[in-house]
Amino acid sequence: MSLLDEYVERFNAGVRSGDWAPMVELLAPDAALEFEGIPVGPFAGRDVIGETYRDQPPDDEIVLLARLGESSAVYAWAKEPTRPAGELHLEARNGAITRIRVLYESFSG
């Protein structure tokens, strides 16, 4: 299983259970979470990212629509599984996610 698949699996489990610890375990201590196209973040550090997901949890699961490489994909929300919501890009070092970029602007409007 690729790191992207594992991240999405653990993200979706967090949405269902409210337990974000398994997803956060994939992150490097200095990980960054960045959003483009919506006015939130950026978030720096595994602990801060974990707190953010616990305090403001997403309300829907991710569905991957098209791979853009091993660590990137176009995704949709499960509520609208055929409508692209944006792109998800991961960067990793030594098997841990160091950067998550979520792009919304290419699908807005």
Side-chain angles (χ1 to χ4, degrees), residues 21-105:
M23 185 201 75
V24 172
E25 289 173 356
L26 293 174
L27 305 178
D30 61 346
L33 172 60
E34 303 167 3
F35 294 91
E36 294 182 26
I38 60 171
V40 297
F43 304 97
R46 176 176 51 209
D47 294 340
V48 170
I49 294 168
E51 290 170 11
T52 299
Y53 276 101
R54 282 188 295 274
D55 294 345
Q56 299 175 26
D59 65 354
D60 200 2
E61 295 182 31
I62 293 173
V63 176
L64 297 182
L65 297 178
R67 300 283 176 151
L68 303 172
E70 183 163 331
S71 298
S72 299
V74 175
Y75 76 93
W77 295 111
K79 291 175 186 170
E80 297 183 81
T82 61
R83 182 176 175 261
E87 296 177 9
L88 177 62
H89 300 275
L90 303 182
E91 294 177 19
R93 177 182 65 243
N94 299 324
I97 297 170
T98 57
R99 185 175 182 208
I100 304 166
R101 288 181 57 231
V102 183
L103 310 178
Y104 287 94
E105 75 280 356

